[in-house]
Amino acid sequence: KIAHKEALIGVILVIINFIIWYGFGYGLGSANVKDYTYVFGLPAWFFYSCILGSIVMIILVIFTVRYLFQDIPFDVEEENK
């Protein structure tokens, strides 16, 4: 049960990452190059999809591992002693 729940959480994180990347990459990046806005010298679509999206995903993964995942002992022998 726990492995299935954690696998589902992992799939949800992947879907969130894809939505962030695709939404900003193709949403803001589909404009004419002359109309691009820039953030820190990078096109806004690249900054939001790759830089900021990565930071958001790192924070989400840290939160997920710390608060939603559980430690599971794999040594059966130690439990019997």
Side-chain angles (χ1 to χ4, degrees):
K1 280 186 170 181
I2 294 171
H4 288 287
K5 180 185 97 169
E6 291 178 356
L8 179 63
I9 291 170
V11 169
I12 291 170
L13 286 173
V14 169
I15 291 170
I16 290 171
N17 187 32
F18 182 76
I19 289 171
I20 290 172
W21 176 81
Y22 190 85
F24 283 115
Y26 285 101
L28 295 176
S30 62
N32 190 358
V33 176
K34 293 178 183 178
D35 297 331
Y36 281 173
T37 57
Y38 293 88
V39 178
F40 297 119
L42 300 168
W45 67 266
F46 181 82
F47 178 79
Y48 292 127
S49 67
C50 295
I51 309 298
L52 192 64
S54 296
I55 293 169
V56 167
M57 287 310 300
I58 289 169
I59 292 169
L60 280 175
V61 168
I62 290 171
F63 173 81
T64 301
V65 169
R66 208 174 263 176
Y67 297 109
L68 298 179
F69 286 3
Q70 299 175 4
D71 274 341
I72 301 172
F74 291 113
D75 281 341
V76 179
E77 294 176 17
E78 290 183 10
E79 288 182 12
N80 292 336
K81 292 180 182 179

Coordinates of all heavy atoms in Angstrom, one line a residue:
K1 N 0.8 -1.2 0.0 CA 0.0 0.0 0.0 C 0.9 1.3 0.0 O 0.6 2.2 -0.7 CB -0.9 0.0 1.2 CG -2.1 -0.8 1.1 CD -3.0 -0.6 2.4 CE -4.3 -1.2 2.2 NZ -5.2 -1.0 3.4
I2 N 1.9 1.2 0.8 CA 2.7 2.4 1.0 C 3.5 2.7 -0.3 O 3.6 3.8 -0.8 CB 3.7 2.3 2.2 CG1 2.9 2.3 3.5 CG2 4.7 3.4 2.2 CD1 3.7 1.9 4.7
A3 N 4.0 1.6 -0.9 CA 4.7 1.8 -2.2 C 3.8 2.3 -3.3 O 4.3 3.2 -4.1 CB 5.4 0.5 -2.6
H4 N 2.6 1.9 -3.4 CA 1.7 2.4 -4.4 C 1.3 3.8 -4.2 O 1.2 4.6 -5.1 CB 0.4 1.5 -4.4 CG 0.6 0.2 -5.0 ND1 0.8 -0.1 -6.3 CD2 0.7 -1.1 -4.4 CE1 1.0 -1.4 -6.5 NE2 0.9 -2.0 -5.4
K5 N 1.2 4.2 -2.9 CA 0.9 5.6 -2.6 C 2.0 6.5 -3.0 O 1.8 7.5 -3.6 CB 0.5 5.7 -1.1 CG 0.2 7.2 -0.7 CD 0.0 7.3 0.8 CE 1.3 7.8 1.4 NZ 1.3 8.2 2.8
E6 N 3.2 6.1 -2.6 CA 4.4 6.9 -2.9 C 4.7 6.9 -4.4 O 5.1 7.9 -4.9 CB 5.6 6.3 -2.2 CG 5.5 6.6 -0.7 CD 6.6 6.1 0.2 OE1 7.5 5.4 -0.4 OE2 6.6 6.3 1.4
A7 N 4.4 5.8 -5.1 CA 4.5 5.9 -6.6 C 3.5 6.8 -7.2 O 3.9 7.6 -8.2 CB 4.3 4.5 -7.2
L8 N 2.3 6.9 -6.7 CA 1.3 7.8 -7.2 C 1.7 9.2 -6.9 O 1.6 10.1 -7.8 CB 0.0 7.5 -6.6 CG -1.2 8.4 -7.0 CD1 -1.5 8.3 -8.5 CD2 -2.4 8.1 -6.1
I9 N 2.3 9.5 -5.8 CA 2.8 10.8 -5.5 C 3.9 11.2 -6.5 O 4.0 12.3 -6.9 CB 3.3 10.9 -4.0 CG1 2.1 10.8 -3.0 CG2 4.1 12.2 -3.8 CD1 2.5 10.6 -1.6
G10 N 4.8 10.3 -6.8 CA 5.9 10.5 -7.8 C 5.3 10.8 -9.1 O 5.8 11.8 -9.8
V11 N 4.3 10.1 -9.6 CA 3.7 10.4 -10.8 C 3.0 11.8 -10.8 O 3.1 12.5 -11.8 CB 2.6 9.3 -11.2 CG1 1.8 9.7 -12.4 CG2 3.4 8.0 -11.4
I12 N 2.4 12.1 -9.8 CA 1.8 13.5 -9.6 C 2.8 14.6 -9.7 O 2.6 15.6 -10.4 CB 0.9 13.6 -8.3 CG1 -0.3 12.7 -8.4 CG2 0.6 15.0 -8.1 CD1 -1.0 12.6 -7.1
L13 N 4.0 14.3 -9.1 CA 5.1 15.3 -9.2 C 5.6 15.5 -10.6 O 5.9 16.6 -11.1 CB 6.2 14.9 -8.2 CG 6.0 15.2 -6.8 CD1 7.1 14.6 -6.0 CD2 5.9 16.6 -6.4
V14 N 5.7 14.4 -11.3 CA 6.1 14.4 -12.7 C 5.1 15.2 -13.6 O 5.5 16.0 -14.4 CB 6.3 13.0 -13.3 CG1 6.5 13.0 -14.8 CG2 7.5 12.3 -12.6
I15 N 3.8 14.9 -13.3 CA 2.8 15.7 -14.1 C 2.8 17.2 -13.8 O 2.7 18.0 -14.7 CB 1.4 15.1 -13.8 CG1 1.3 13.6 -14.4 CG2 0.3 15.9 -14.3 CD1 0.1 12.9 -14.0
I16 N 3.0 17.5 -12.5 CA 3.2 18.9 -12.2 C 4.4 19.6 -12.9 O 4.3 20.7 -13.4 CB 3.3 19.1 -10.6 CG1 1.9 18.8 -10.0 CG2 3.7 20.5 -10.3 CD1 2.0 18.7 -8.5
N17 N 5.5 18.8 -12.9 CA 6.7 19.3 -13.5 C 6.5 19.5 -15.0 O 6.9 20.6 -15.6 CB 7.9 18.4 -13.3 CG 9.2 18.9 -13.8 OD1 9.4 20.1 -13.8 ND2 10.0 18.1 -14.3
F18 N 5.8 18.6 -15.7 CA 5.5 18.7 -17.1 C 4.6 19.9 -17.4 O 4.8 20.6 -18.3 CB 4.9 17.4 -17.6 CG 4.7 17.5 -19.1 CD1 5.7 17.4 -20.0 CD2 3.4 17.7 -19.6 CE1 5.5 17.5 -21.4 CE2 3.1 17.7 -20.9 CZ 4.2 17.6 -21.8
I19 N 3.6 20.1 -16.5 CA 2.6 21.2 -16.7 C 3.3 22.5 -16.6 O 3.1 23.4 -17.4 CB 1.4 21.1 -15.8 CG1 0.5 19.9 -16.2 CG2 0.6 22.4 -15.7 CD1 -0.5 19.6 -15.1
I20 N 4.2 22.7 -15.6 CA 5.0 23.9 -15.4 C 5.9 24.1 -16.6 O 5.9 25.2 -17.2 CB 5.8 23.9 -14.1 CG1 4.9 23.9 -12.9 CG2 6.8 25.0 -14.1 CD1 5.6 23.7 -11.6
W21 N 6.6 23.1 -17.0 CA 7.5 23.3 -18.1 C 6.8 23.6 -19.4 O 7.2 24.5 -20.2 CB 8.4 22.0 -18.3 CG 9.3 22.0 -19.4 CD1 10.5 22.7 -19.5 CD2 9.0 21.4 -20.7 NE1 11.0 22.5 -20.8 CE2 10.2 21.7 -21.5 CE3 8.0 20.7 -21.2 CZ2 10.2 21.3 -22.8 CZ3 8.1 20.2 -22.5 CH2 9.2 20.5 -23.3
Y22 N 5.8 22.8 -19.8 CA 5.1 22.9 -21.0 C 4.3 24.2 -21.0 O 4.3 24.9 -22.1 CB 4.1 21.7 -21.2 CG 3.5 21.7 -22.6 CD1 4.2 21.1 -23.6 CD2 2.2 22.2 -22.8 CE1 3.6 21.0 -24.9 CE2 1.7 22.2 -24.0 CZ 2.3 21.5 -25.1 OH 1.8 21.5 -26.3
G23 N 3.7 24.5 -19.9 CA 2.8 25.8 -19.9 C 3.7 27.0 -20.1 O 3.3 27.9 -20.9
F24 N 4.8 27.2 -19.4 CA 5.6 28.3 -19.6 C 6.4 28.3 -20.9 O 6.5 29.3 -21.6 CB 6.6 28.5 -18.4 CG 5.9 29.1 -17.2 CD1 5.8 28.4 -16.1 CD2 5.4 30.4 -17.3 CE1 5.2 28.9 -14.9 CE2 4.7 30.9 -16.1 CZ 4.6 30.2 -15.0
G25 N 6.9 27.1 -21.2 CA 7.7 26.9 -22.4 C 7.0 27.2 -23.7 O 7.4 28.0 -24.6
Y26 N 5.8 26.6 -23.8 CA 5.0 26.9 -25.1 C 4.0 28.0 -24.9 O 3.6 28.5 -25.9 CB 4.3 25.6 -25.5 CG 5.3 24.6 -26.1 CD1 5.8 23.5 -25.3 CD2 5.7 24.7 -27.4 CE1 6.7 22.6 -25.9 CE2 6.6 23.9 -27.9 CZ 7.1 22.8 -27.2 OH 8.0 21.9 -27.7
G27 N 3.7 28.3 -23.7 CA 2.7 29.5 -23.5 C 3.4 30.8 -23.8 O 2.9 31.6 -24.6
L28 N 4.5 31.0 -23.1 CA 5.2 32.3 -23.3 C 6.2 32.2 -24.5 O 6.5 33.3 -25.1 CB 6.0 32.7 -22.0 CG 5.2 33.0 -20.8 CD1 6.1 33.2 -19.6 CD2 4.3 34.2 -21.0
G29 N 6.7 31.1 -24.8 CA 7.7 30.9 -25.9 C 7.1 30.9 -27.3 O 7.8 30.9 -28.2
S30 N 5.8 30.9 -27.4 CA 5.2 30.8 -28.7 C 5.0 32.2 -29.4 O 4.6 32.3 -30.5 CB 3.9 30.1 -28.7 OG 3.0 30.8 -27.8
A31 N 5.4 33.2 -28.6 CA 5.3 34.6 -29.2 C 6.4 34.9 -30.2 O 7.3 34.1 -30.3 CB 5.3 35.6 -28.1
N32 N 6.3 36.0 -30.9 CA 7.3 36.4 -31.8 C 8.6 36.8 -30.9 O 8.5 37.3 -29.9 CB 6.9 37.6 -32.6 CG 7.8 38.0 -33.7 OD1 8.8 37.4 -33.9 ND2 7.4 39.0 -34.5
V33 N 9.7 36.4 -31.5 CA 11.0 36.6 -30.7 C 11.2 38.1 -30.4 O 11.7 38.4 -29.3 CB 12.2 36.1 -31.5 CG1 13.5 36.4 -30.8 CG2 12.0 34.6 -31.8
K34 N 10.7 39.0 -31.2 CA 10.9 40.4 -31.0 C 10.0 40.9 -29.8 O 10.3 41.9 -29.2 CB 10.5 41.2 -32.2 CG 11.5 41.0 -33.4 CD 11.0 41.8 -34.6 CE 12.0 41.5 -35.7 NZ 11.6 42.2 -37.0
D35 N 9.0 40.1 -29.5 CA 8.1 40.5 -28.4 C 8.4 39.9 -27.1 O 7.7 40.0 -26.1 CB 6.6 40.1 -28.8 CG 6.2 40.9 -30.0 OD1 6.7 42.0 -30.2 OD2 5.3 40.3 -30.7
Y36 N 9.5 39.1 -27.0 CA 9.9 38.4 -25.7 C 10.2 39.4 -24.7 O 10.8 40.5 -24.9 CB 11.1 37.5 -25.9 CG 10.9 36.2 -26.6 CD1 11.9 35.4 -26.9 CD2 9.6 35.7 -26.8 CE1 11.7 34.2 -27.5 CE2 9.4 34.5 -27.4 CZ 10.4 33.7 -27.8 OH 10.2 32.5 -28.4
T37 N 9.9 39.1 -23.4 CA 10.3 39.8 -22.3 C 11.5 39.0 -21.7 O 11.5 37.8 -21.8 CB 9.2 40.1 -21.3 OG1 8.7 38.8 -20.9 CG2 8.1 40.9 -21.8
Y38 N 12.4 39.7 -20.9 CA 13.5 39.0 -20.4 C 13.6 39.2 -18.9 O 13.2 40.2 -18.3 CB 14.8 39.6 -21.0 CG 14.9 39.3 -22.5 CD1 14.3 40.1 -23.5 CD2 15.5 38.1 -22.9 CE1 14.4 39.8 -24.8 CE2 15.6 37.8 -24.3 CZ 15.0 38.6 -25.2 OH 15.1 38.3 -26.5
V39 N 14.1 38.1 -18.2 CA 14.2 38.1 -16.8 C 15.7 37.7 -16.6 O 16.1 36.6 -17.0 CB 13.3 37.1 -16.1 CG1 13.5 37.1 -14.6 CG2 11.8 37.5 -16.4
F40 N 16.5 38.6 -16.0 CA 17.9 38.3 -15.7 C 18.6 37.9 -17.0 O 19.5 37.1 -17.0 CB 18.1 37.2 -14.7 CG 17.6 37.5 -13.3 CD1 16.6 36.8 -12.7 CD2 18.1 38.6 -12.6 CE1 16.1 37.1 -11.5 CE2 17.6 38.9 -11.3 CZ 16.6 38.2 -10.8
G41 N 18.3 38.6 -18.1 CA 19.0 38.4 -19.4 C 18.5 37.1 -20.1 O 19.0 36.8 -21.2
L42 N 17.6 36.4 -19.6 CA 17.0 35.2 -20.2 C 15.6 35.4 -20.7 O 14.9 36.2 -20.0 CB 17.0 34.0 -19.2 CG 18.4 33.6 -18.7 CD1 18.2 32.6 -17.5 CD2 19.2 32.9 -19.7
P43 N 15.2 34.8 -21.8 CA 13.8 35.0 -22.1 C 12.9 34.5 -21.0 O 13.2 33.5 -20.3 CB 13.6 34.0 -23.3 CG 15.0 33.9 -23.9 CD 15.9 34.0 -22.7
A44 N 11.8 35.2 -20.8 CA 10.9 34.9 -19.7 C 10.4 33.5 -19.7 O 10.3 32.8 -18.7 CB 9.7 35.9 -19.7
W45 N 10.1 32.9 -20.9 CA 9.6 31.6 -21.0 C 10.6 30.6 -20.5 O 10.3 29.6 -19.8 CB 9.1 31.2 -22.4 CG 10.3 31.1 -23.4 CD1 10.7 32.1 -24.2 CD2 11.1 30.0 -23.7 NE1 11.7 31.7 -25.0 CE2 12.0 30.4 -24.7 CE3 11.2 28.7 -23.2 CZ2 13.0 29.6 -25.2 CZ3 12.1 27.9 -23.7 CH2 13.0 28.3 -24.7
F46 N 11.9 30.8 -20.8 CA 13.0 29.9 -20.3 C 13.2 30.1 -18.8 O 13.4 29.1 -18.1 CB 14.3 30.2 -21.1 CG 15.4 29.3 -20.7 CD1 15.5 28.1 -21.3 CD2 16.3 29.8 -19.8 CE1 16.6 27.3 -20.9 CE2 17.4 28.9 -19.4 CZ 17.5 27.7 -20.0
F47 N 13.2 31.3 -18.4 CA 13.4 31.5 -16.9 C 12.4 30.8 -16.1 O 12.7 30.1 -15.1 CB 13.5 33.0 -16.6 CG 13.7 33.3 -15.2 CD1 14.9 33.2 -14.6 CD2 12.6 33.7 -14.4 CE1 15.1 33.5 -13.2 CE2 12.7 33.9 -13.0 CZ 14.0 33.8 -12.4
Y48 N 11.1 31.0 -16.5 CA 10.0 30.5 -15.7 C 9.9 29.0 -15.8 O 9.6 28.3 -14.9 CB 8.7 31.1 -16.1 CG 8.6 32.6 -15.6 CD1 8.3 33.6 -16.5 CD2 8.9 33.0 -14.3 CE1 8.2 34.9 -16.2 CE2 8.8 34.3 -13.9 CZ 8.5 35.3 -14.9 OH 8.4 36.6 -14.5
S49 N 10.1 28.5 -17.0 CA 9.9 27.0 -17.2 C 11.1 26.2 -16.7 O 11.0 25.2 -16.1 CB 9.7 26.7 -18.7 OG 10.8 27.0 -19.5
C50 N 12.3 26.7 -16.9 CA 13.5 25.9 -16.6 C 14.1 26.3 -15.2 O 14.4 25.4 -14.4 CB 14.6 26.0 -17.7 SG 14.0 25.3 -19.2
I51 N 14.3 27.6 -15.0 CA 15.0 28.0 -13.8 C 14.0 28.0 -12.6 O 14.2 27.2 -11.6 CB 15.6 29.4 -13.9 CG1 16.5 29.5 -15.2 CG2 16.3 29.8 -12.7 CD1 17.7 28.6 -15.2
L52 N 13.0 28.8 -12.7 CA 12.0 28.8 -11.6 C 11.2 27.5 -11.4 O 11.0 27.1 -10.3 CB 11.0 30.0 -11.8 CG 10.2 30.4 -10.6 CD1 11.0 30.9 -9.5 CD2 9.1 31.4 -11.0
G53 N 10.9 26.8 -12.5 CA 10.2 25.6 -12.4 C 11.1 24.5 -11.7 O 10.6 23.7 -10.9
S54 N 12.4 24.5 -12.0 CA 13.3 23.6 -11.3 C 13.3 23.9 -9.8 O 13.3 22.9 -9.0 CB 14.7 23.7 -11.9 OG 14.7 23.2 -13.2
I55 N 13.4 25.1 -9.4 CA 13.4 25.5 -8.0 C 12.1 25.1 -7.3 O 12.2 24.5 -6.2 CB 13.7 27.0 -7.9 CG1 15.1 27.4 -8.3 CG2 13.5 27.5 -6.4 CD1 15.4 28.8 -8.5
V56 N 11.0 25.3 -8.0 CA 9.7 24.9 -7.4 C 9.7 23.4 -7.2 O 9.2 22.9 -6.2 CB 8.6 25.4 -8.3 CG1 7.2 24.8 -7.9 CG2 8.4 26.9 -8.2
M57 N 10.1 22.7 -8.2 CA 10.1 21.2 -8.2 C 11.0 20.7 -7.1 O 10.7 19.7 -6.4 CB 10.4 20.6 -9.5 CG 9.3 20.7 -10.5 SD 7.7 20.2 -10.0 CE 8.0 18.5 -9.6
I58 N 12.2 21.3 -6.9 CA 13.1 20.8 -5.9 C 12.4 21.0 -4.5 O 12.5 20.1 -3.6 CB 14.4 21.6 -6.0 CG1 15.2 21.1 -7.2 CG2 15.3 21.4 -4.7 CD1 16.4 22.0 -7.5
I59 N 11.8 22.2 -4.3 CA 11.1 22.4 -3.0 C 10.0 21.4 -2.8 O 9.8 20.9 -1.7 CB 10.6 23.9 -3.0 CG1 11.8 24.8 -2.9 CG2 9.6 24.1 -1.8 CD1 11.4 26.3 -3.1
L60 N 9.2 21.1 -3.9 CA 8.1 20.1 -3.8 C 8.6 18.7 -3.5 O 8.0 18.0 -2.6 CB 7.3 20.1 -5.1 CG 6.3 21.2 -5.3 CD1 5.6 21.1 -6.7 CD2 5.2 21.2 -4.2
V61 N 9.7 18.3 -4.1 CA 10.3 17.0 -3.8 C 10.8 16.9 -2.4 O 10.6 15.9 -1.7 CB 11.4 16.7 -4.8 CG1 12.2 15.4 -4.4 CG2 10.8 16.4 -6.2
I62 N 11.5 18.0 -1.9 CA 12.0 18.0 -0.5 C 10.8 17.9 0.4 O 10.8 17.1 1.4 CB 12.8 19.2 -0.2 CG1 14.2 19.2 -1.0 CG2 13.1 19.4 1.2 CD1 15.0 20.4 -1.0
F63 N 9.8 18.7 0.2 CA 8.6 18.6 1.1 C 7.9 17.2 1.0 O 7.6 16.7 2.1 CB 7.5 19.6 0.6 CG 6.2 19.5 1.3 CD1 6.1 20.1 2.6 CD2 5.2 18.9 0.7 CE1 4.9 20.0 3.3 CE2 3.9 18.8 1.4 CZ 3.8 19.3 2.7
T64 N 7.8 16.6 -0.2 CA 7.2 15.3 -0.3 C 8.0 14.2 0.4 O 7.4 13.4 1.1 CB 7.1 15.0 -1.8 OG1 6.3 16.0 -2.5 CG2 6.5 13.6 -2.0
V65 N 9.3 14.2 0.2 CA 10.1 13.2 0.9 C 10.1 13.4 2.4 O 10.1 12.4 3.1 CB 11.6 13.3 0.3 CG1 12.5 12.4 1.1 CG2 11.6 12.8 -1.1
R66 N 10.1 14.6 2.8 CA 10.2 14.8 4.3 C 8.9 14.5 5.0 O 8.9 14.0 6.1 CB 10.6 16.3 4.5 CG 11.4 16.5 5.8 CD 11.9 17.9 6.0 NE 13.3 17.9 5.5 CZ 14.0 18.9 5.5 NH1 13.5 20.1 5.8 NH2 15.2 18.9 5.1
Y67 N 7.8 14.9 4.4 CA 6.5 14.8 5.1 C 5.5 13.8 4.6 O 4.6 13.4 5.3 CB 5.8 16.2 5.1 CG 6.6 17.2 5.8 CD1 7.2 18.3 5.0 CD2 6.8 17.2 7.1 CE1 8.0 19.2 5.7 CE2 7.5 18.2 7.8 CZ 8.1 19.2 7.1 OH 8.9 20.1 7.7
L68 N 5.6 13.3 3.4 CA 4.7 12.3 2.8 C 5.2 10.9 2.7 O 4.4 10.0 2.8 CB 4.2 12.8 1.5 CG 3.4 14.1 1.5 CD1 3.0 14.5 0.0 CD2 2.2 14.1 2.4
F69 N 6.5 10.8 2.5 CA 7.1 9.4 2.4 C 7.4 8.9 3.8 O 7.6 9.6 4.7 CB 8.3 9.4 1.6 CG 8.1 9.6 0.1 CD1 6.8 9.8 -0.4 CD2 9.2 9.6 -0.8 CE1 6.6 9.9 -1.8 CE2 9.0 9.7 -2.2 CZ 7.7 9.9 -2.6
Q70 N 7.4 7.6 3.9 CA 7.6 6.9 5.2 C 8.8 6.0 5.1 O 9.1 5.4 4.1 CB 6.4 6.1 5.6 CG 5.2 6.8 5.8 CD 4.0 5.9 6.1 OE1 4.2 4.7 6.2 NE2 2.8 6.5 6.2
D71 N 9.6 5.9 6.2 CA 10.7 5.0 6.3 C 10.1 3.6 6.4 O 9.3 3.3 7.3 CB 11.6 5.3 7.4 CG 12.7 6.3 7.1 OD1 12.9 6.5 5.9 OD2 13.3 6.9 8.0
I72 N 10.6 2.7 5.6 CA 10.1 1.3 5.7 C 11.4 0.4 6.0 O 12.3 0.4 5.2 CB 9.5 0.8 4.4 CG1 8.3 1.7 4.1 CG2 9.0 -0.6 4.5 CD1 7.7 1.5 2.7
P73 N 11.4 -0.4 7.1 CA 12.5 -1.2 7.4 C 12.5 -2.4 6.4 O 11.4 -3.1 6.2 CB 12.3 -1.7 8.8 CG 10.8 -1.5 9.0 CD 10.4 -0.4 8.2
F74 N 13.6 -2.8 5.8 CA 13.7 -3.9 4.9 C 14.3 -5.1 5.5 O 14.3 -6.2 5.0 CB 14.5 -3.5 3.6 CG 13.7 -2.5 2.8 CD1 14.2 -1.2 2.6 CD2 12.5 -2.9 2.1 CE1 13.5 -0.3 1.8 CE2 11.9 -2.0 1.4 CZ 12.3 -0.7 1.2
D75 N 14.9 -5.0 6.7 CA 15.6 -6.1 7.4 C 14.5 -6.8 8.3 O 14.1 -6.3 9.3 CB 16.7 -5.6 8.3 CG 18.0 -5.4 7.5 OD1 18.0 -5.9 6.3 OD2 18.9 -4.7 8.0
V76 N 14.1 -7.9 7.9 CA 13.1 -8.7 8.6 C 13.8 -9.3 9.8 O 13.2 -9.4 10.9 CB 12.5 -9.8 7.8 CG1 11.5 -10.6 8.5 CG2 11.8 -9.1 6.6
E77 N 15.1 -9.7 9.7 CA 15.8 -10.4 10.8 C 15.9 -9.5 12.0 O 15.8 -9.9 13.1 CB 17.1 -10.9 10.3 CG 17.1 -11.9 9.3 CD 18.4 -12.3 8.7 OE1 19.4 -12.0 9.4 OE2 18.5 -12.9 7.7
E78 N 16.2 -8.2 11.8 CA 16.4 -7.3 12.9 C 15.1 -7.1 13.7 O 15.1 -6.9 14.9 CB 16.9 -6.0 12.4 CG 18.4 -6.1 12.0 CD 18.9 -4.7 11.6 OE1 18.2 -3.7 11.9 OE2 20.0 -4.7 11.0
E79 N 14.0 -7.1 13.0 CA 12.7 -7.0 13.7 C 12.4 -8.2 14.6 O 11.8 -8.0 15.7 CB 11.6 -6.8 12.7 CG 11.6 -5.5 12.0 CD 10.4 -5.4 11.0 OE1 9.5 -6.2 11.1 OE2 10.4 -4.4 10.2
N80 N 12.8 -9.4 14.2 CA 12.5 -10.6 15.0 C 13.4 -10.6 16.3 O 13.1 -11.3 17.2 CB 12.7 -11.8 14.2 CG 11.7 -11.9 13.1 OD1 10.6 -11.4 13.2 ND2 12.0 -12.6 12.0
K81 N 14.6 -10.0 16.3 CA 15.5 -10.0 17.4 C 15.0 -9.1 18.4 O 14.7 -8.7 19.3 CB 16.9 -9.7 17.0 CG 17.5 -10.7 16.1 CD 18.9 -10.3 15.7 CE 19.5 -11.4 14.8 NZ 20.8 -11.1 14.4

